[in-house]
Amino acid sequence: MSGHSKWNNIQGRKNAQDAKRGKIFQKLSREIYMAAKSGGPDPDSNPSLRLMLDKAKAANMPKDNIKRAIDKASGSEGADYEEITYEGYAPGGVAILVHTLTDNRNRTASEVRIAFTRNGGNLGETGSVNYMFDRKGYIIISREELDTDEDAMFEDVIDAGAEDLKTSEELFEIYTDSKDLPDVRASLEAKGYKLDTFELVMIPQNLVPVPEDKIEQFHHMIDALEDNDDVSEVFHAGDIADED
């Protein structure tokens, strides 16, 4: 996992994401709905829902929005959503996964295909690139005002049950087995750490450099997908020089 830094993408788009708070809440509502629909409305017995509620609270999502999403899943009202993953290649031959949550399969398929084809990408068959990624838990801890060196953090991270630690001047990035994320998170919080990000992600096994003449087109494609209301997550294996 060395060389991968999802934080670069998060940090580079932070201002834009802040401006789209309403859209973020909409996507979180759908994900809460799906988690409650598939595993029940009680977060104590539904780990997926518990994780989504924690994400919603971290995003300062209003409690009324959260309650409404759970209520919809518990009753018969509201749209019936389904999860669909699209796979393919972005400009430069970079593998890409697009996770969607939609109440209209045809609409979503059309819009995702347009985002690919208009920006030099190609959609693939199911399973064409998914095997190139691993599902992992991902945690970020900012080093600002944190009086902990790398050795101490490494000991705490391993003791918590995590798999890997990546450090930079600004932050610690922690990777876990997907099923261990809740326990690792709880252990680190019990040690007094404030977590900036905790989520399940798809980590590319290998990174592919994006050709310099394709970088702008690559960004346009990622932005077009992330701006789509039906798209919940976008993961890629691109190594982008201008983000280093």
Side-chain angles (χ1 to χ4, degrees):
M1 283 177 286
S2 60
H4 172 74
S5 181
K6 187 170 181 287
W7 176 255
N8 286 333
N9 293 335
I10 294 172
Q11 190 177 45
R13 290 191 293 269
K14 186 176 185 301
N15 291 336
Q17 289 176 337
D18 287 344
K20 301 174 183 176
R21 178 166 295 186
K23 182 170 290 188
I24 292 173
F25 290 166
Q26 180 182 16
K27 291 188 177 185
L28 283 170
S29 290
R30 292 183 181 183
E31 292 173 347
I32 291 170
Y33 170 91
M34 283 297 297
K37 189 81 171 177
S38 60
D42 183 3
D44 291 334
S45 59
N46 185 345
S48 296
L49 177 59
R50 187 164 63 247
L51 178 62
M52 289 312 309
L53 294 181
D54 288 340
K55 285 179 65 175
K57 291 173 184 177
N60 295 316
M61 185 174 177
K63 292 182 180 179
D64 287 346
N65 295 39
I66 295 173
K67 183 177 183 301
R68 190 157 51 245
I70 295 176
D71 288 345
K72 283 184 178 181
S74 302
S76 58
E77 62 175 309
D80 188 16
Y81 293 104
E82 61 179 323
E83 296 175 285
I84 304 173
T85 296
Y86 297 90
E87 306 176 39
Y89 291 91
V94 176
I96 184 169
L97 292 175
V98 183
H99 292 170
T100 68
L101 196 56
T102 179
D103 60 348
N104 187 322
R105 175 188 287 261
N106 291 336
R107 178 194 67 221
T108 304
S110 175
E111 292 178 352
V112 169
R113 184 176 299 278
I114 288 172
F116 270 79
T117 57
R118 287 186 178 175
N119 295 285
N122 295 286
L123 271 175
E125 299 293 329
T126 300
S128 59
V129 304
N130 188 67
Y131 70 94
M132 301 178 188
F133 295 78
D134 296 317
R135 190 72 163 170
K136 295 291 180 181
Y138 180 68
I139 296 171
I140 287 176
I141 297 177
S142 172
R143 299 187 68 171
E144 185 177 1
E145 300 180 0
L146 181 64
D147 187 22
T148 302
D149 61 25
E150 294 182 16
D151 290 338
M153 174 59 79
F154 182 78
E155 290 183 8
D156 285 344
V157 163
I158 297 302
D159 182 62
E163 293 183 339
D164 195 15
L165 171 70
K166 181 184 170 104
T167 65
S168 67
E169 293 183 1
E170 297 83 15
L171 51 90
F172 292 109
E173 293 176 286
I174 301 157
Y175 298 89
T176 80
D177 186 281
S178 58
K179 69 179 185 302
D180 293 336
L181 177 61
D183 291 339
V184 174
R185 175 198 167 197
S187 178
L188 291 173
E189 289 182 331
K191 293 177 184 293
Y193 291 109
K194 179 181 181 298
L195 279 53
D196 292 81
T197 294
F198 50 89
E199 59 185 335
L200 291 171
V201 298
M202 299 296 287
I203 303 295
Q205 296 168 1
N206 296 289
L207 294 176
V208 176
V210 180
E212 187 174 350
D213 63 339
K214 300 289 186 183
I215 289 177
E216 184 175 359
Q217 192 178 34
F218 180 90
H219 281 307
H220 284 164
M221 178 176 168
I222 300 300
D223 288 342
L225 289 168
E226 291 187 338
D227 283 343
N228 189 305
D229 289 342
D230 295 337
V231 173
S232 54
E233 297 174 307
V234 178
F235 299 105
H236 65 78
D239 186 6
I240 307 172
D242 70 350
E243 291 185 350
D244 292 341

